[in-house]
């Protein structure tokens, strides 16, 4: 069996012309260098060097015959190793991200743009879906990373922290102007038409779980599939919507909507990172994750 390290010692000695200098370059002892040369000569059945008072010279019928091929082989191996190192330290390839439309728009868009400016060679594949769907996509290797609404629990994926906080609030348009700056108890909201996100979402489950702890049951008059539609319906006066404040910044600032002063307020939720278990994280993905630290 070929021992590559023996050939590397041979090549270094040939370049240095000295056992001592070769030992220094290889960071091993001189006896170890000498022993390696003897071992290789024994395996090949020929003398590779002539020992002279000037140092080590390649033998005509041994070392000189193989030096060029050994040099080429070692260069090829070094190139292969450098290629692997480059893959681990250079951002290339494609990052497949799973998240909801709202998380893409409100949390990830700016990060993706910033990352693209730094690493233009990296491509993105955006896989939209609810947070439970994103978890399944991770398990099925359809995305490399998921940004999900918390709380959610699944032992088959790794959760690596919170990247944003979401404060669920109730918002209303001009049709409900009489509620502006007026405290209203959470349990009394059932007297008004309510807009809620779909039942199979983390946000809806969190709202239901919280209200149930106080014996309150809130049923929507209209269920919507996404926050953008809810905001439009709320602005038009279709009802009072429950939406993360972070997703309604524009409408609140321009006065199209106002925050209903509900007591008690709803608990703060989070958006977290989920990764598949037992899968190495490529350099590009590690760099993308670092934007959220």
């Amino acid at each position: 069996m070929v021992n590559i390290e023996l050939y590397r010692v041979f090549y270094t000695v040939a370049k240095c012309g000295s056992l001592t200098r070769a030992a220094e370059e290889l960071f091993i002892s001189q006896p170890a260098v000498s022993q390696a040369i003897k071992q290789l000569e024994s395996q090949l059945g020929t003398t590779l060097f002539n020992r002279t008072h000037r140092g080590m010279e390649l033998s005509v019928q041994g070392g000189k015959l193989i030096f060029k091929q050994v040099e080429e082989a070692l260069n090829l191996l070094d190139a292969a190793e450098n290629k692997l190192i480059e893959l681990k330290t250079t951002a290339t390839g494609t990052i497949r991200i799973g998240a909801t439309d709202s998380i893409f728009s409100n949390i990830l868009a700016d990060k993706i743009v910033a990352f693209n400016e730094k690493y233009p060679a990296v491509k993105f594949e955006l896989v939209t879906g609810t947070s439970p769907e994103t978890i399944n996509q991770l398990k099925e290797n359809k995305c490399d990373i998921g940004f999900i609404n918390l709380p959610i629990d699944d032992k088959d994926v790794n959760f690596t922290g919170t990247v944003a906080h979401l404060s669920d609030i109730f918002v209303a348009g001009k049709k409900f102007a009489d509620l502006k700056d007026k405290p209203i108890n959470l349990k009394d909201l059932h007297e008004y038409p309510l807009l809620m996100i779909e039942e199979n979402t983390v946000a809806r489950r969190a709202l239901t779980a919280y209200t149930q702890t106080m014996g309150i049951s809130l049923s929507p008059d209209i269920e919507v599939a996404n926050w953008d539609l809810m905001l439009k319906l709320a602005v038009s006066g279709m009802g009072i919507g429950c939406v993360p404040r972070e997703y309604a910044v524009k409408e609140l600032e321009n006065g199209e909507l106002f925050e209903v002063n509900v007591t008690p307020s709803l608990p703060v939720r989070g958006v977290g990172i989920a990764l598949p278990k037992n899968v190495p994280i490529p350099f590009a993905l590690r760099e993308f994750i670092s934007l959220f630290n």
Side-chain angles (χ1 to χ4, degrees):
M1 182 177 292
V2 175
N3 188 328
I4 298 300
E5 291 309 311
L6 294 181
Y7 283 98
R8 196 175 293 280
V9 172
F10 159 78
Y11 178 67
T12 306
V13 172
K15 282 199 310 174
C16 296
S18 162
L19 293 174
T20 301
R21 288 198 297 273
E24 292 173 352
E25 186 170 322
L26 293 167
F27 298 101
I28 60 177
S29 67
Q30 182 177 327
V33 173
S34 180
Q35 182 60 38
I37 295 300
K38 289 179 180 178
Q39 185 177 344
L40 185 58
E41 287 179 329
S42 176
Q43 288 181 6
L44 298 176
T46 186
T47 300
L48 299 174
F49 292 96
N50 295 321
R51 283 75 169 170
T52 70
H53 65 281
R54 290 177 297 182
M56 303 287 283
E57 294 181 352
L58 289 170
S59 63
V60 175
Q61 298 300 320
K64 286 187 177 181
L65 291 177
I66 67 171
F67 177 80
K68 185 173 180 58
Q69 286 83 357
V70 170
E71 182 178 45
E72 291 175 352
L74 291 176
N75 286 338
L76 286 172
L77 286 173
D78 289 340
E81 289 182 355
N82 290 335
K83 193 74 174 178
L84 291 176
I85 292 172
E86 182 181 347
L87 288 175
K88 294 179 181 178
T89 58
T90 304
T92 57
T94 300
I95 298 176
R96 301 174 300 167
I97 304 175
T100 66
D101 287 326
S102 297
I103 291 176
F104 275 124
S105 299
N106 296 281
I107 297 172
L108 299 182
D110 291 343
K111 300 293 187 183
I112 291 173
V113 171
F115 187 86
N116 178 254
E117 290 176 353
K118 186 176 182 181
Y119 298 110
V122 177
K123 297 180 180 179
F124 286 96
E125 182 179 329
L126 309 183
V127 185
T128 60
T130 64
S131 291
E133 288 171 347
T134 297
I135 294 295
N136 289 331
Q137 287 159 353
L138 281 171
K139 295 177 184 178
E140 296 170 3
N141 192 32
K142 293 180 179 178
C143 59
D144 306 307
I145 183 172
F147 290 83
I148 60 170
N149 288 300
L150 301 174
I152 196 168
D153 184 32
D154 195 306
K155 296 180 180 179
D156 293 327
V157 297
N158 288 329
F159 296 97
T160 63
T162 301
V163 299
H165 290 95
L166 300 177
S167 303
D168 290 326
I169 60 173
F170 288 91
V171 296
K174 296 176 182 178
K175 184 176 179 179
F176 299 94
D178 59 309
L179 293 178
K180 196 169 186 179
D181 301 322
K182 175 184 175 182
I184 181 170
N185 195 286
L186 181 62
K187 65 182 177 60
D188 294 328
L189 280 178
H190 70 85
E191 299 176 6
Y192 299 88
L194 295 179
L195 311 174
M196 292 185 185
I197 200 73
E198 287 181 339
E199 200 168 11
N200 65 335
T201 60
V202 173
R204 177 69 177 278
R205 293 173 187 171
L207 173 63
T208 300
Y210 179 66
T211 55
Q212 284 180 345
T213 62
M214 293 176 286
I216 299 172
S217 178
L218 297 177
S219 300
D221 291 82
I222 300 176
E223 280 189 343
V224 297
N226 59 71
W227 301 116
D228 288 340
L229 177 57
M230 178 182 291
L231 291 171
K232 289 178 181 178
L233 294 179
V235 169
S236 68
M238 293 290 292
I240 296 175
C242 183
V243 60
R245 180 185 290 112
E246 293 77 8
Y247 295 171
V249 172
K250 183 183 73 172
E251 290 80 4
L252 291 170
E253 288 182 348
N254 64 24
E256 290 182 294
L257 294 174
F258 64 89
E259 180 177 349
V260 180
N261 185 12
V262 174
T263 56
S265 58
L266 301 180
V268 174
R269 297 184 293 112
V271 174
I273 292 178
L275 296 167
K277 277 195 172 182
N278 304 317
V279 176
I281 303 177
F283 177 77
L285 183 53
R286 291 202 307 271
E287 287 293 287
F288 184 69
I289 294 172
S290 72
L291 295 179
F292 298 89
N293 295 334

